[in-house]
Amino acid sequence: MPRTIWSGAISFGLVTVPINVVGATEDHSIHFHQYHLEDGGRVRYRKVCELEDREVAQEEIGKGYELTATQVIPITDEDLSNLPLPTAKAIEIDAFVPLESIDPIRIAEGYYLQPAGQVAAKPYRLLVEALGRSAKVAVAKYAWSGRERLGLLRVRDDVLVLHAMRWPDEIRDPTELLPAPTEVSDEEIEGALALMDTMTTDRLEGEEFRDRYTEAIAQIIEAKRERKPLPEAPEPEKPAPVLDLMAALNESVQKARASRTEDAGPAEVHELPRPKKTTAKKQPAKKAAAKKTTAKKTSGRRPRSA
């Protein structure tokens, strides 16, 4: 089991649920050390006191707030654990909202909440069942690491999950990033929707959702360990400027269709809409002259899209 990050309680009205917080995710990335190129010695960061010009041990180091260049206000762990806040000891639920009402950009890392002992089993289950039946999530406040935070509580496989959330003023305004005003046609929008349908999947699993970067790093390390040639890097495709959106969408649908067929057998795909034309279809040569006259009269009509 992962180690406990924080212990406290969920405050739900007058109901209290003692819990332990544990990490919900794992980091499988390959990490590197810094070393001296000349002799291979490790290069480490050392903590040095600027006044005494010597390295100090961890037990000699404390926190502090720099009031001025010469005055530091020391802050201890005990000070932080006794903050005059109700959220210093508890995850305090403030409201319940539909999940779709929360912008995903505000949702950060997640943690599992484990009931702390048998006394927490019933109120923990009560909150799990209530959240499940309401189809809502809880918005809560809690204080960790020297600051009060906003959180989102939801249920995953009958376990409570706490997601850290960013405060509204922590989200930057994106309006300055908007492109210049431009128009796209209905056919282009329908083409993009057809491509989305072709690329739709029920689960984020499979070959295309594998961490290939970490695998490639592992291949390089193994090749160097065995003193073998490094694996050849594929030639990167240079993206060409899109001059014809419909042509690019059509080609993308064909590629997605081929990829899905190779990976999982035949898949349901949608044809792209054909671009509308303003000219009449050419009549067969064997048609009578009278029908040519009819074609001329209707040449201004727009044929229906397939």
Side-chain angles (χ1 to χ4, degrees):
M1 284 293 294
R3 67 180 181 86
T4 298
I5 299 172
W6 185 84
S7 294
I10 301 171
S11 175
F12 173 34
L14 297 178
V15 178
T16 300
V17 188
I19 51 95
N20 297 320
V21 179
V22 299
T25 58
E26 295 178 332
D27 181 10
H28 294 160
S29 302
I30 294 175
H31 299 277
F32 302 106
H33 295 301
Q34 291 185 324
Y35 70 97
H36 189 196
L37 291 173
E38 184 176 337
D39 54 23
R42 278 287 302 275
V43 176
R44 301 176 184 269
Y45 293 103
R46 302 186 185 275
K47 298 179 180 180
V48 176
C49 174
E50 293 182 352
L51 296 179
E52 299 182 18
D53 194 24
R54 68 173 180 89
E55 186 178 355
V56 293
Q58 185 60 42
E59 56 268 19
E60 298 180 79
I61 301 173
K63 301 185 192 70
Y65 176 77
E66 188 174 291
L67 192 63
T68 67
T70 58
Q71 186 178 9
V72 175
I73 307 298
I75 302 293
T76 66
D77 290 338
E78 185 179 358
D79 295 333
L80 296 177
S81 64
N82 292 310
L83 288 173
L85 285 173
T87 53
K89 299 285 187 179
I91 299 171
E92 191 172 70
I93 295 176
D94 284 344
F96 294 89
V97 299
L99 178 59
E100 58 269 20
S101 69
I102 299 176
D103 190 332
I105 199 172
R106 296 185 60 184
I107 302 175
E109 64 276 2
Y111 305 91
Y112 289 138
L113 304 185
Q114 176 189 39
Q118 190 59 35
V119 68
K122 188 169 183 177
Y124 185 95
R125 187 66 190 174
L126 173 66
L127 187 52
V128 168
E129 291 288 345
L131 283 172
R133 293 191 188 186
S134 71
K136 294 180 180 178
V137 295
V139 176
K141 294 192 187 82
Y142 61 99
W144 289 359
S145 304
R147 57 171 293 190
E148 188 173 53
R149 300 168 184 260
L150 199 62
L152 179 151
L153 275 172
R154 67 180 183 91
V155 177
R156 182 178 189 270
D157 296 334
D158 287 339
V159 174
L160 290 175
V161 180
L162 172 67
H163 289 278
M165 285 182 63
R166 297 174 179 88
W167 297 96
D169 61 358
E170 293 178 317
I171 306 300
R172 293 172 177 163
D173 185 356
T175 53
E176 62 183 30
L177 306 177
L178 289 173
T182 187
E183 297 291 335
V184 291
S185 67
D186 288 341
E187 288 81 7
E188 289 166 341
I189 296 173
E190 290 171 9
L193 291 173
L195 177 57
M196 290 170 61
D197 285 344
T198 307
M199 298 174 66
T200 296
T201 182
D202 293 330
R203 305 185 71 180
L204 298 180
E205 296 178 356
E207 187 70 17
E208 63 267 38
F209 301 109
R210 198 178 75 237
D211 183 4
R212 296 179 180 175
Y213 182 87
T214 298
E215 291 179 1
I217 293 292
Q219 290 175 8
I220 291 176
I221 292 173
E222 184 63 18
K224 289 198 169 192
R225 186 182 70 85
E226 297 184 355
R227 302 182 183 277
K228 292 181 178 180
L230 298 182
E232 293 186 5
E235 193 68 27
E237 294 184 7
K238 295 182 179 179
V242 178
L243 302 178
D244 186 337
L245 268 181
M246 286 304 299
L249 288 167
N250 194 11
E251 183 178 354
S252 299
V253 167
Q254 300 307 320
K255 287 185 177 180
R257 176 190 299 175
S259 175
R260 287 299 173 87
T261 303
E262 291 173 2
D263 294 343
E268 180 183 355
V269 296
H270 298 268
E271 294 289 344
L272 281 174
R274 297 175 185 172
K276 295 180 180 180
K277 298 180 180 178
T278 56
T279 58
K281 296 179 180 177
K282 185 178 180 181
Q283 299 294 333
K286 65 180 181 180
K287 295 292 182 180
K291 297 206 173 176
K292 289 185 181 179
T293 305
T294 303
K296 287 181 181 179
K297 289 182 180 179
T298 59
S299 62
R301 296 174 59 187
R302 295 163 62 93
R304 291 183 301 171
S305 297

